[in-house]
């Protein structure tokens, strides 16, 4: 095969990977990339506190925990704000607050003040995630969502890889410059959102009535009868009218909460790459530079492989992908027990990085499928919280196991957790309809006393989303789809994510 043919094939693959997505998605993607290019605090907080400010490692750990606790709280608060006030206002508030708090943190000197502001930074920086994921689900068609989430995850890791290298040089010159640089980049994201991104939240109809798409921008939504340009009107999760969707609805959604629990288990595994792995490598006599080389494989592999792997998995059964990626993640870390050289450590990183590449967009897409249209913010907030809690628990887990039993037991535990997560996904999603083009919620037989509705048109199995004009209400006899009874974390795994 000639070089010209290979280049033409590569160009075609890239074009197919990025084509067909709405303009609003690319502005949102750009804001994600800019945000991650400015990342500094989360990466260099520990070094700043111990090397620049002279505080103890214990104090640095306390500040990191408070930063994570802020993220746990804001996941739920921001989810509610996303649904109640809209995606755009939540993004603007979150990013503006992040810029202000990060800049303020650079000027704090007293230990109590640093800890308090770090908590605020954690809250503000994590608050944008539910809004970003909900807006992405609003504006991208269901069949393109895995690809869209994958591209967004790719932007997160590309920005993280570049910023980590650049911020290291900045930190040698001035940590304050790093804080102010992140504040400026985050503020630039807020300006970009303000100028280029319209509100995408579907308009609410009367209680129980179909929703209307906002300005025809919504390319796909949750389960239910289709209205607008693919905006679903189902309330999901067995919820009643749209107006009644609250955090109680999310917590009672058994399948979704089960998915959140499995997401927490998977996140706990992935977090060991950043908390357990450096400790274990240090105990084996490897240097921080050795760990840096090994973990750099993760970022490089995601940047290089995310798009081609997404092309391979885009139209495959998400159930199998989640099962395989969970088991692969567990045993990828499990293999670390046999590592004795940098090359073997890097090989194990390759294994669980591949699992991460598959798991992140697939799991985020599943969350969207199980979320009702007007509850997307709350559902995404709960999902994001599973990763925030994992980030808090993982250091405690790795430290306890390594100190008491040794690193080999930690890697064995990861293999067990991966197996449990894979089995959990298999049990949870048996019978769940995840056919492409629908929201993944199986139609159920009408409950006793409620007559079945006959679908309009020639097909008895009309899709949940239609191509009707944005202001056209769904036919009165559209098939009723009941939401999933309950639940499942990248995002983003959020390893390396904002």
């Amino acid at each position: 095969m000639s070089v010209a043919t290979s280049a033409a094939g590569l160009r075609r693959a890239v074009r197919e990977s990025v084509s067909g997505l709405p303009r609003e998605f690319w502005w949102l993607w750009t804001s994600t990339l800019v945000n991650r290019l400015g990342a500094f605090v989360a990466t260099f907080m520990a070094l700043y506190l111990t090397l620049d400010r002279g505080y103890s490692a214990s104090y640095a750990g306390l500040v990191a925990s408070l930063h994570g606790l802020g993220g746990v709280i804001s996941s739920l608060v921001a989810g509610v704000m996303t649904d109640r006030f809209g995606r755009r206002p939540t993004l603007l508030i979150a990013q503006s607050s992040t810029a202000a708090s990060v800049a303020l943190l650079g000027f704090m000197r007293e230990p109590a003040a640093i800890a308090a502001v770090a908590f605020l930074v954690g809250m503000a920086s994590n608050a944008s995630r539910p809004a970003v994921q909900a807006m992405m689900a609003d504006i991208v068609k269901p069949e393109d969502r895995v690809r869209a989430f994958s591209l967004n995850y790719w932007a997160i890791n590309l920005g993280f890889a570049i910023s980590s290298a650049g911020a290291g040089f900045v930190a040698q010159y001035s940590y304050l410059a790093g804080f102010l640089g992140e504040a400026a980049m985050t503020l630039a994201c807020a300006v970009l959102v303000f100028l280029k991104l319209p509100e995408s939240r579907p308009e609410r109809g009367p209680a129980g009535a179909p929703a209307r798409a906002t300005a025809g921008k919504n390319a796909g939504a949750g389960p239910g009868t289709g209205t607008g340009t693919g905006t679903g009107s189902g309330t999901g999760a067995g919820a009643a009218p749209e107006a009644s969707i609250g955090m109680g609805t999310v917590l009672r959604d058994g399948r979704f909460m089960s998915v959140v629990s499995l997401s927490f288990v998977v996140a706990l595994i992935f977090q060991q790459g950043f908390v357990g792995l450096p400790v274990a490598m240090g105990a084996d006599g490897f240097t921080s530079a050795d760990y840096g080389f090994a973990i750099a494989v993760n970022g490089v592999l995601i940047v290089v492989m995310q798009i081609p792997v997404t092309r391979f998995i885009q139209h495959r059964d998400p159930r199998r992908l989640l099962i395989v990626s969970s088991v692969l993640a567990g045993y990828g870390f499990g293999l670390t027990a046999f590592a004795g050289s940098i090359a073997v450590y890097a090989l194990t990183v390759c294994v669980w990085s591949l699992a991460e590449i598959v798991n992140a967009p697939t799991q985020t897409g599943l969350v969207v499928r199980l979320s009702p249209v007007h509850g997307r913010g709350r559902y995404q907030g709960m999902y994001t919280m599973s990763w925030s809690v994992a980030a808090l628990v993982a250091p405690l887990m790795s430290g306890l196991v390594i100190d008491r039993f040794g690193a080999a037991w930690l890697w064995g535990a990861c293999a067990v957790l991966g197996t449990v997560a894979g089995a959990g996904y298999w049990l949870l999603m048996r019978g769940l309809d995840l056919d492409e083009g629908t929201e993944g919620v199986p139609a159920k037989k009408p409950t006793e006393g409620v007559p079945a509705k006959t679908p309009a048109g020639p097909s008895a199995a009309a899709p949940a989303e239609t191509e009707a004009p944005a202001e056209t209400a769904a036919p009165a006899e559209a098939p009723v789809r009941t939401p999933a009874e309950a639940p499942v974390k990248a995002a983003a795994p959020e390893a390396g994510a904002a």
Side-chain angles (χ1 to χ4, degrees), residues 19 28 66 90 105 158 165 183 238 241 244 298-299 307 371 377 380 401 422 427:
S19 63
L28 191 59
L66 288 173
T90 303
L105 182 60
L158 177 62
S244 67
N298 172 255
I307 292 178
S371 305
Q380 290 289 352
V401 174
L427 291 172

Side-chain angles (χ1 to χ4, degrees), residues 51-118:
L51 298 182
D52 190 70
R53 306 306 307 163
Y55 292 114
S56 67
S58 298
Y59 174 75
L62 172 63
V63 172
S65 296
L66 288 173
H67 183 274
L69 179 62
V72 172
I73 296 173
S74 68
S75 297
L76 300 181
V77 175
V80 174
M81 290 175 60
T82 297
D83 287 337
R84 182 168 297 178
F85 304 115
R87 286 69 159 131
R88 188 170 179 262
T90 303
L91 279 173
L92 290 173
I93 293 172
Q95 293 174 344
S96 300
S97 301
T98 301
S101 58
V102 166
L104 181 63
L105 182 60
F107 292 99
M108 293 295 99
R109 293 296 179 265
E110 295 298 322
I114 292 175
V117 177

Side-chain angles (χ1 to χ4, degrees), residues 269-273 328-337 348 352 411 414:
I269 297 172
F270 283 123
Q271 287 293 331
Q272 297 309 321
L328 191 63
Y331 282 88
F333 278 98
L335 289 173
T336 311
T348 64
W352 59 260
W411 309 131
C414 288

Side-chain angles (χ1 to χ4, degrees), residues 61-73 75 119 264 267-268 271-272 275 384-399:
L62 172 63
V63 172
S65 296
L66 288 173
H67 183 274
L69 179 62
V72 172
I73 296 173
S75 297
F119 174 77
F264 166 76
L268 202 59
Q271 287 293 331
Q272 297 309 321
V275 293
T384 300
M385 191 188 73
S386 69
W387 283 82
S388 299
V389 174
L392 284 178
V393 174
L396 301 176
M397 169 186 166
S398 60

Side-chain angles (χ1 to χ4, degrees), residues 24 44 208 275 285 494:
E24 290 80 8
F44 289 92
V275 293
E494 296 280 332

Side-chain angles (χ1 to χ4, degrees), residues 17-33:
S17 297
V18 302
S19 63
L21 296 171
R23 180 179 59 184
E24 290 80 8
F25 165 79
W26 289 111
W27 285 118
L28 191 59
W29 183 91
T30 302
S31 73
T32 298
L33 179 61

